[in-house]
Amino acid sequence: MSFTPSAEIFALVDGNNFYVSCERVFNPRLEGRPVVVLSNNDGCVVARSNEARALDIGMGVPVFKVRDIIRKHKIVVLSSNYTLYGDMSQRMMGVIGQFSPRQEIYSIDESFVDLAGFGQRDLRAYGQEIRQRVRAWVGIPTCVGIATTKTLAKLANRCAKKRPEYEGVCDWSRLHSAQLEHLLSTFPAGDVWGIGHRWGGRLLEMGIRSARDLAMADLALLRSRFGVVLERTARELRGISCHGLEVTVADRKQIVSSRSFGQVTTALEDLQEAVTQYTCRAAEKLRRQAGVCATLQVFLQTNAYKTTEPQYHPVATVKLTTPTDDSLRLTKAALSGLGRVYRQGFRYIKAGVMFTEILPTTVQQLELFGDSASPASTSTLPDSRARLMVAMDRVNRRAGPGTLHLASGGIRNAWAMKRERMTPAYTTRWEELPVAQA
DNA sequence: TCTGGGGTCCTAGGACCC
DNA sequence: TCTGGGGTCCTAGGACCC
């Protein structure tokens, strides 16, 4: 195996137990205690403090399966507060961005930065600077992994997390082949970025156990059995960079809005309310990226875990006569799709709307059999409807999501999601600002 | 009783065309 | 007996990520 020296250097900075850390910033009493944050509907565990991990709370487990452990160890359980986490993320990314001219925001809690131009600087010390500033200015603890490819940086980051002696920063960018090889041999292949459950199992069957095994594997064989994606991963482990930094945020190619219900429903009226609200949320995202939607899908789901109940998972595809970003027209289209696939007698647990064909507003196409004066998009042809959308977005941004909504969204919302242990929106609503006490 | 939501990319196979 | 070959487009499904 030959590791190729690369001109590129990536640092991956990510928040430790990010959602839990966000909660701790505003409630220091959570410090040192086992804490978990749940998914929407209070369904699964999606974030765990180190103390909760130590108690064997798995990532993604349904909360009812660990109820006993939670009770026994007095684990603090919180509903997820995405408004808070999104805002904390923005602050954290802003600080990290000060450390390099080129930054990729990879996820809500992870950011790659380009350190290639930093020459002879001590990158470990630089990583520590990043950690300290984020901790001081935002309150979030982080770890930093530095290497010549993104895949190696991910692994270095994991190393920094796992082994306290590194004090939160691992710099692999200047290692010799032999040193790197040794480090890779200590990680299971399944821990490598891009290797999931399925592929991990298949690799094991082939005798590829460690990250080092994967790096040394025959590239043509990997390609023929798994495809080009895994081949690239193996190259990256060898130090050949295949994934560059993606500095600009690409427009979404699809926009999904869906939720499980707080309780099952059989009523068309409930589904109409939900579909209306989901469509409006998706339309807001669409307008934010100045797009118009040409095709959407509406889907329904019964509870697949209840194998004794009749199952029904229909999808309706609706083509718009003219691409649009108008919530009213999109909702009308979505509701017509819903009407096509709704069947009585099923117990529905989830509904969703997906915009699958999204175009930039600059692409205009006149309606073939429509009112040719009616605008396809609010962004290019301002009329009263467009002004209404703009006003709605503004009100909902300032006063909170859903303040202004369509009547078909309903107000009863018997199906609405469960969030029984939600903390306040500390940073984004005046009335929920934390209060300092003397 | 109770099991998330939102994305991306790649591949295989079928339809269609010349 | 013997039934092409190559390109493009689209879709569904499978894998992955956080």
Side-chain angles (χ1 to χ4, degrees), chain A residues 211-287:
Chain A
R212 175 174 173 273
D213 294 341
L214 184 55
M216 294 175 60
D218 179 54
L219 293 177
L221 182 72
L222 292 179
R223 186 175 193 135
S224 68
R225 298 235 184 131
F226 298 86
V228 69
V229 175
L230 190 64
E231 185 195 344
R232 283 195 199 119
T233 298
R235 283 183 195 274
E236 286 237 321
L237 288 175
R238 296 181 182 190
I240 303 160
S241 178
C242 302
H243 303 290
L245 207 67
E246 287 170 31
V247 176
T248 54
V249 188
D251 284 340
R252 299 267 163 259
K253 293 167 186 169
Q254 72 182 35
I255 294 173
V256 182
S257 176
S258 73
R259 289 277 181 284
S260 301
F261 305 138
Q263 53 190 61
V264 291
T265 180
T266 56
L268 177 60
E269 295 71 38
D270 282 341
L271 299 175
Q272 285 168 333
E273 287 182 4
V275 165
T276 298
Q277 290 188 20
Y278 301 164
T279 307
C280 289
R281 195 177 309 139
E284 252 178 71
K285 288 188 210 165
L286 182 66
R287 292 193 288 272

Side-chain angles (χ1 to χ4, degrees), chain A residues 293-349:
Chain A
C293 167
T295 308
L296 62 79
Q297 293 185 331
V298 184
F299 58 89
L300 298 175
Q301 286 175 15
T302 48
N303 190 342
Y305 292 104
K306 303 214 163 175
T307 46
T308 53
E309 290 187 7
Q311 296 293 318
Y312 183 44
H313 297 161
V315 180
T317 301
V318 185
K319 278 203 177 294
L320 282 297
T321 48
T322 312
T324 184
D325 65 357
D326 177 344
S327 292
L328 282 77
R329 292 188 53 204
L330 289 164
T331 299
K332 224 170 123 184
L335 289 177
S336 81
L338 171 64
R340 287 211 314 259
V341 292
Y342 171 76
R343 300 280 178 275
Q344 272 184 340
F346 289 101
R347 294 159 57 76
Y348 297 100
I349 188 67

